[in-house]
Amino acid sequence: MSKFLQGNEACVEGALAVGCRFFAGYPITPSTEIAEGMAKKLPRLGGRFIQMEDEIASMGAVIGASLCGTKALTATSGPGFSLKQEHIGYAVIAEIPCVIVNVMRGGPSTGLPTSPAQSDVMQARWGTHGDHPAIVLTPSTVQEYFELTVKAFNLSEKLRTSVILAPDEVIAHMRERVEIPDQVNIINRKLPSNSVDKSTYKPYKVEKDDEVPVIPNFFDGFRFNVTGLYHDETGFPTASPSIVEKCIKRLHNKVGSAYEEIKGIEIDLPKDCDVAVLSYGSTFRSARQAARELNAGHVKLTTLFPFPEKEIRELASKIKTIIVAEMNLGQIRLEVERAVAGKASVVGVNIANGLLISPDPIKEKIKECRI
């Protein structure tokens, strides 16, 4: 089925298609259309919509709904995303699936509420405290917004972790034709079988160092503890160094072992090109046009984290320069520099004034790199 949708509307369609039946949020531009869409459509499907008193409470409600077995979503933007960070960390350590949409706008603080920016890239990766992995997806088209919403829920359910979807304002408010399949691939979290002994079941017990625990839903007859503290296989707190180390490493390992499924990178290198332009989000369109007009390569990221270090390092061995175009002052450029490790030069085309990057400054940078 084809629909002409705004980006945020496509997110709603993707969430409902993959089985999301709970939304809690607090309105904030440029994400508000997601809350509006979920408020209209969730009740018709037997779901629940709650407008909470703030973003902190919204994230808490999402965690609670997920613990009860319901696929849950919240959506926000810059300052609201900051308020959710403590609870996002709780979801990571307690291994509670949930999806958070952060429609990026200009900051810091209230900044530029309805203008495009990609300034929350590092907040998405490092906003919560603690040493933990992060999964961050970002669409470049409205079609991708739909597809990555489905992917975000599937990764969240499979790996029992929070997944962040980070479109920029342009993609969120752009309207394009979207192809919506009759059915999407749906992954549901694993649950204990009916034959297990509920009186002795250990929800966080695993056999491998990258395994995802099989945690029951609340009210399914199991009695167990959920905490933001480091915990043993029963779920109760522990300060045992060996258990703590094993736990934090497993949180990293379970995401690392799923890298091939999580990654999102497209590389187009014309014959004999010496320069490639890397971009993501709405900047992709200008970057691709500039690259095509000047026979340069083009790289598009739809997964920002885990960062595709291996793929970028291999790219650096084939060309002289990587140009990173983004609507901030170089947040992904620094990641590219780290991955390249001197094998190629890395330069940026950066705009952080509420305006889109047009093809012209990218073309000028390509020409400059070839002098």
Side-chain angles (χ1 to χ4, degrees), residues 24-25 52-63 83-84 87:
M52 302 297 290
E53 65 267 33
D54 59 30
E55 288 85 351
I56 300 172
S58 302
M59 194 63 216
V62 163
I63 288 172
L83 292 171
K84 294 180 186 291
H87 279 344

Side-chain angles (χ1 to χ4, degrees), residues 20-94:
C20 174
R21 291 296 181 267
F22 183 86
F23 181 97
Y26 186 81
I28 179 171
T29 54
S31 74
T32 303
E33 294 85 2
I34 299 174
E36 292 174 344
M38 297 301 273
K40 290 179 182 176
K41 296 194 173 187
L42 268 177
R44 301 171 189 168
L45 298 171
R48 295 288 184 272
F49 170 91
I50 305 177
Q51 179 174 321
M52 302 297 290
E53 65 267 33
D54 59 30
E55 288 85 351
I56 300 172
S58 302
M59 194 63 216
V62 163
I63 288 172
S66 182
L67 279 169
C68 293
T70 303
K71 292 183 180 179
L73 172 72
T74 187
T76 187
S77 188
F81 190 43
S82 300
L83 292 171
K84 294 180 186 291
Q85 293 293 348
E86 183 174 359
H87 279 344
I88 293 173
Y90 184 93
V92 170
I93 195 170

